[in-house]
Amino acid sequence: MLQQAVTHHQVGRWAEAEALYRRLLTISPHHPDVLHLLGVLLAQTNRHEQALPFLRQAATLSPQTPDFWLSLAKALKDYGCAFESVDAYQQALALESCPNPIGVASLLAHVLRNLGRNQDAAAVYHRALATAPDNPDLLSALAETMRILGQSAEAESLCNRALTLRPNDAATHHVLAALHHGEGRLVEAEACYRRALALSSQTTAALSDQAALWSNFGAFCAGQGRAIEAIDACRRALDLQPEMVSAWVTLGNALTDRGEIVAAISAYKSALSFCPHHGGALAALTFERRRLCDWSGIEALEQRTLTAIEQDQGDIDPFTVLALTSSTALQRRCAVSWTRRHYPSPASAPFFQNFAKTNAPKQRLTLGYLSADFYDHATAWLIAELIELHDRNRFCVQGYSYGPDDGGAMRRRLQSGFDVFHDIRTLSDRQAAQKIAEDGVDILIDLKGHTRDSRLGIMAYRPAPVQMTYLGYPGCLGADFIDYAVVDSIVAPQDQSEMFTEKLIRMPECYQINDQRRPRPTEAPPRSAFGLPETGFVFCAFNNTWKITPLVFSTWMKILRDVPDSTLWLLATVPAASDFLRREAFARQIDPQRLVFAPRLPLSEHLARHRCADLFLDTLPYNAHTTASDALWMECPVLTCMGESFAGRVAASLLYAVGAPELVAQSLDDYQGLALYLAQHPQRLKEIRQKLCQSVTDSPLFDSYRFARCFENILWERRPEITQGAGIRLQRHIA
């Protein structure tokens, strides 16, 4: 009867085999072979929960049979019980009769790697290599593990050994491609990706391996701004393996880069249909739905995303989290997790230690500013004058740019403003770090953080003794290679210090620098030029649409209800969002025509149109930042609500710096009431405007010279750390 059951099983007659196995168990309930075979059949037919009791019983009854442990391990892994599968694989591997110890070791190490236990996985591979030192599969797999651990030199050496044994191995070329990609060696990475793709198409490589290769190449192309190639690569991956979640997520990201938000949302939904708790897909879907202002079911989606962060479920972009929650603890947790995954320590010793350093206090410090935004960009609009104002008697100021050269006026201004300007786009992260170290940079200041096009991998090599993050990212970076974050006492009050992995340098007035040389049009264009009514109160909110939450929008609609003949003037960053916002207005019984949408304009024209607005309405939990400075620069009052996190307290910091704390509400109810009061009291609003007009010349927010001197004094205090070694973190906060 057992032989008959096995025959049915082997030819795929599942029902007949199962019936016989179950009948046999009524005759012999503790027969280990029958228990094992029935468990295998149930697992093969995706009934893992039913399979596991039979497989566990078989392994318990016959613990010296390695196949029983291996079947149990596979079923546990497939059912999502990876932790338990490790023990089962180890039980099989411990038996002398284990049929393929090298293969089993590889399976065990693979599971460990997926669990994030990369050190344990490396130990398993090393033990296997001790018995099979010339096994190219093991060498390649260990190379991938060492790459993940940040041991790039060893990983590359292992790849080269594997390729010496098997030159045309697509998998090893794939590992090498990922290694070069992670180090920023983009030309070499692309060559390896293309070599791996060519080889995989000529061999009988598993479809899953080919799909992973196409998916990773898609991610590579997306990172280079080559969205069309990325989309094609991801679709090739999905043709091979439709359930590949990473390919769906990368496809969504590439479609987003193309502005195809609806298609991107569909891709993220596909990813979640295969893995409902995938944090990266949840966060991306939530962010894009917010950008589109499509709020149907958004609260439940946001809660799923926050749960994924709490449980560390996948790769979740920290910047997205700033827009979703005001919890500084959750923001810190996400940043630490992201940094741990993306920037494992790549060097055993800081790069700067390889170059001679004097032990005497330096008479002139070399500052390095690192960014992708040294062109017509919001960061450049803020920081250009600081670069020019640095005291050259105390500082040599060097710029390191890895972003585009648009050839514009701002680019030319920045190139002239730095003592030395380096375009490092073609350098890998390692090469860029080495150059910065060779240049003798004492304090390296990152201006990007976890924002688009960031290359924190350069900072991870520790090219400078003291490393800071400033301006570009309003939150904790979670990186042990960043010593300081530049903040102020409003965006990061004392009781939030523990929510940062960096030590905090608190500027005495406001952390944000401004540029007094940017345009400041004095004439107000006619309202009709922007589709605004000639009369009536105009509220403006020129923030990106992803900053608008249903709660804030509902508050705005209440304000419009209470201020008849008023208009809400919004920025049309996403055309489709305008339709959703008009629908939301209608649902709240507000005429959709009272919403007017403003297109993007060149900086001077954008600044000029602020003179057509009466009051700027801010957002929460992510405030206006540069946008708020623009409004205040143009004497347009900004009404904000104090948030809990850095991102939600920036506008308050700016308002305190211009002497207008009365525009900082402590709750949305107060925010609504204050908006109504100002709309109904034009004389009070006029007084605030007059104060803002004066603030342009005498407030700390727009006094670039004053900021530069204060900032330099704080940097100058770091000299002992520079001479003593790698970023000694002082146990005090700069007040």
Side-chain angles (χ1 to χ4, degrees):
M1 191 185 299
L2 178 57
Q3 185 57 55
Q4 187 179 3
V6 170
T7 301
H8 285 313
H9 194 163
Q10 289 172 336
V11 297
R13 292 195 288 267
W14 311 112
E16 293 89 336
E18 182 178 349
L20 286 172
Y21 288 143
R22 291 188 182 278
R23 185 178 170 193
L24 280 163
L25 287 177
T26 64
I27 299 168
S28 181
H30 304 294
H31 194 299
D33 288 324
V34 178
L35 289 164
H36 173 244
L37 289 167
L38 177 57
V40 169
L41 185 148
L42 291 168
Q44 286 174 328
T45 52
N46 294 316
R47 290 176 286 170
H48 295 91
E49 189 171 3
Q50 297 176 43
L52 288 172
F54 293 106
L55 293 171
R56 285 194 178 102
Q57 193 176 355
T60 301
L61 289 167
S62 185
Q64 298 302 310
T65 307
D67 285 344
F68 290 4
W69 290 111
L70 292 173
S71 296
L72 175 60
K74 184 179 186 306
L76 286 165
K77 177 176 69 69
D78 293 344
Y79 189 53
C81 300
F83 284 102
E84 293 180 66
S85 75
V86 169
D87 181 64
Y89 278 125
Q90 288 174 332
Q91 292 281 2
L93 200 56
L95 297 173
E96 291 185 7
S97 57
C98 184
N100 178 13
I102 300 299
V104 175
S106 293
L107 291 170
L108 170 60
H110 185 73
V111 173
L112 289 167
R113 205 166 68 195
N114 287 341
L115 287 170
R117 294 170 56 182
N118 292 297
Q119 293 285 4
D120 293 337
V124 172
Y125 283 129
H126 278 298
R127 285 196 297 271
L129 276 169
T131 60
D134 293 329
N135 185 308
D137 293 322
L138 285 176
L139 289 166
S140 183
L142 178 57
E144 171 65 2
T145 307
M146 301 313 290
R147 181 190 73 80
I148 295 169
L149 286 168
Q151 304 299 318
S152 44
E154 184 175 351
E156 188 166 0
S157 174
L158 288 162
C159 282
N160 291 334
R161 281 176 60 191
L163 290 173
T164 300
L165 296 163
R166 195 162 60 197
N168 294 326
D169 183 52
T172 305
H173 284 287
H174 187 183
V175 175
L176 206 51
L179 175 64
H180 293 329
H181 185 184
E183 289 190 311
R185 295 159 63 180
L186 303 181
V187 174
E188 296 157 277
E190 181 157 2
C192 288
Y193 274 125
R194 293 196 179 281
R195 177 67 172 154
L197 287 167
L199 290 169
S200 68
S201 67
Q202 300 166 10
T203 64
T204 56
L207 292 182
S208 60
D209 292 339
Q210 293 184 55
L213 178 52
W214 278 110
S215 178
N216 289 343
F217 182 61
F220 171 83
C221 292
Q224 306 312 303
R226 292 151 49 184
I228 294 176
E229 290 177 77
I231 291 167
D232 176 67
C234 289
R235 286 179 172 153
R236 285 174 177 260
L238 293 166
D239 285 342
L240 296 165
Q241 193 171 1
E243 69 278 14
M244 178 167 278
V245 174
S246 61
W248 282 114
V249 173
T250 302
L251 175 61
N253 296 343
L255 289 165
T256 298
D257 291 344
R258 294 272 297 164
E260 300 178 37
I261 297 177
V262 174
I265 286 172
S266 177
Y268 297 134
K269 286 180 176 178
S270 294
L272 291 168
S273 71
F274 295 110
C275 185
H277 304 296
H278 190 282
L282 281 167
L285 175 61
T286 306
F287 189 84
E288 294 309 316
R289 288 274 305 281
R290 281 271 294 271
R291 197 147 74 105
L292 201 59
C293 297
D294 176 6
W295 298 329
S296 174
I298 195 70
E299 290 183 4
L301 186 59
E302 288 184 5
Q303 187 53 55
R304 287 173 62 194
T305 304
L306 298 180
T307 300
I309 299 166
E310 290 170 352
Q311 298 177 358
D312 200 15
Q313 294 173 335
D315 220 11
I316 303 173
D317 178 6
F319 182 81
T320 300
V321 177
L322 299 184
L324 300 185
T325 179
S326 58
S327 167
T328 52
L330 211 55
Q331 292 173 3
R332 183 187 193 276
R333 183 172 189 163
C334 181
V336 169
S337 175
W338 174 274
T339 303
R340 184 182 68 242
R341 293 169 187 267
H342 286 260
Y343 307 107
S345 181
S348 58
F351 263 38
F352 73 85
Q353 289 186 354
N354 296 328
F355 301 93
K357 296 283 180 180
T358 176
N359 290 324
K362 300 188 71 169
Q363 299 305 306
R364 191 166 182 252
L365 297 182
T366 298
L367 304 182
Y369 284 90
L370 178 68
S371 183
D373 300 334
F374 292 138
Y375 64 104
D376 187 19
H377 185 279
T379 299
W381 302 341
L382 293 176
I383 207 165
E385 193 173 17
L386 174 62
I387 305 304
E388 295 162 343
L389 287 173
H390 274 308
D391 180 358
R392 265 44 183 195
N393 291 320
R394 292 202 292 176
F395 299 95
C396 169
V397 188
Q398 305 203 26
Y400 295 88
S401 172
Y402 53 83
D405 179 357
D406 63 356
M410 178 56 76
R411 177 73 168 199
R412 294 193 298 273
R413 179 182 169 189
L414 285 165
Q415 287 174 323
S416 300
F418 285 106
D419 295 317
V420 186
F421 186 86
H422 308 275
D423 189 331
I424 59 172
R425 281 177 292 176
T426 61
L427 301 183
S428 70
D429 289 354
R430 184 184 182 89
Q431 290 168 335
Q434 182 168 342
K435 176 168 181 52
I436 292 167
E438 289 174 345
D439 290 344
V441 170
D442 298 299
I443 301 176
L444 183 61
I445 304 170
D446 163 65
L447 299 176
K448 290 294 290 180
H450 295 305
T451 59
R452 185 185 178 90
D453 300 326
S454 170
R455 285 179 63 182
L456 278 177
I458 296 172
M459 303 283 280
Y461 282 99
R462 269 259 176 214
V466 173
Q467 302 194 157
M468 297 180 177
T469 179
Y470 175 53
L471 197 61
Y473 184 79
C476 164
L477 294 189
D480 61 4
F481 48 81
I482 301 293
D483 302 308
Y484 296 101
V486 180
V487 298
D488 61 49
S489 60
I490 294 178
V491 298
Q494 289 287 348
D495 61 3
Q496 289 193 9
S497 297
E498 296 306 314
M499 293 298 101
F500 290 80
T501 54
E502 308 86 357
K503 293 297 180 185
L504 301 182
I505 292 177
R506 288 189 171 88
M507 297 297 292
E509 290 157 325
C510 180
Y511 87 102
Q512 191 189 87
I513 181 66
N514 270 272
D515 180 4
Q516 288 191 315
R517 289 180 54 187
R518 62 180 158 175
R520 190 163 175 263
T522 55
E523 296 297 322
R527 283 185 170 185
S528 58
F530 305 110
L532 296 168
E534 291 295 344
T535 59
F537 198 93
V538 174
F539 297 100
C540 74
F542 291 151
N543 277 338
N544 283 303
T545 53
W546 55 263
K547 294 185 182 182
I548 304 173
T549 66
L551 181 59
V552 166
F553 188 78
S554 292
T555 303
W556 290 349
M557 295 304 98
K558 292 174 185 175
I559 293 169
L560 291 187
R561 178 199 63 198
D562 294 339
V563 184
D565 300 323
S566 62
T567 298
L568 179 60
W569 195 13
L570 301 167
L571 196 62
T573 53
V574 180
S578 305
D579 294 332
F580 279 104
L581 288 171
R582 286 197 170 104
R583 289 179 210 168
E584 293 291 339
F586 182 78
R588 291 163 175 80
Q589 300 181 326
I590 296 296
D591 181 357
Q593 297 309 309
R594 294 176 68 183
L595 273 59
V596 176
F597 292 91
R600 288 195 179 276
L601 292 175
L603 179 61
S604 60
E605 296 176 46
H606 168 65
L607 292 173
R609 65 183 168 189
H610 284 83
R611 297 199 180 276
C612 296
D614 296 299
L615 181 64
F616 187 110
L617 296 178
D618 198 13
T619 48
L620 203 69
Y622 199 119
N623 287 172
H625 293 184
T626 306
T627 313
S629 283
D630 289 344
L632 296 172
W633 177 248
M634 296 306 299
E635 305 156 32
C636 179
V638 174
L639 175 60
T640 192
C641 184
M642 182 78 83
E644 294 179 33
S645 67
F646 188 156
R649 303 171 72 91
V650 170
S653 173
L654 305 182
L655 287 164
Y656 273 88
V658 295
E662 65 271 26
L663 292 174
V664 181
Q666 298 302 316
S667 71
L668 282 178
D669 286 342
D670 291 344
Y671 172 96
Q672 179 185 338
L674 187 52
L676 177 60
Y677 174 82
L678 292 171
Q680 294 175 340
H681 293 79
Q683 182 58 36
R684 179 62 183 129
L685 200 58
K686 182 179 179 181
E687 292 169 0
I688 292 173
R689 281 188 173 277
Q690 289 172 342
K691 182 194 298 186
L692 294 179
C693 180
Q694 186 64 30
S695 77
V696 171
T697 58
D698 63 12
S699 75
L701 181 63
F702 298 117
D703 191 339
S704 307
Y705 181 86
R706 177 175 174 175
F707 182 98
R709 298 291 82 81
C710 179
F711 188 50
E712 287 175 345
N713 289 338
I714 289 172
L715 296 178
W716 196 249
E717 290 181 13
R718 309 276 71 76
R719 286 189 302 163
E721 301 173 51
I722 293 164
T723 57
Q724 289 172 26
I728 300 168
R729 299 184 177 197
L730 299 185
Q731 298 303 309
R732 65 185 179 93
H733 300 298
I734 307 302

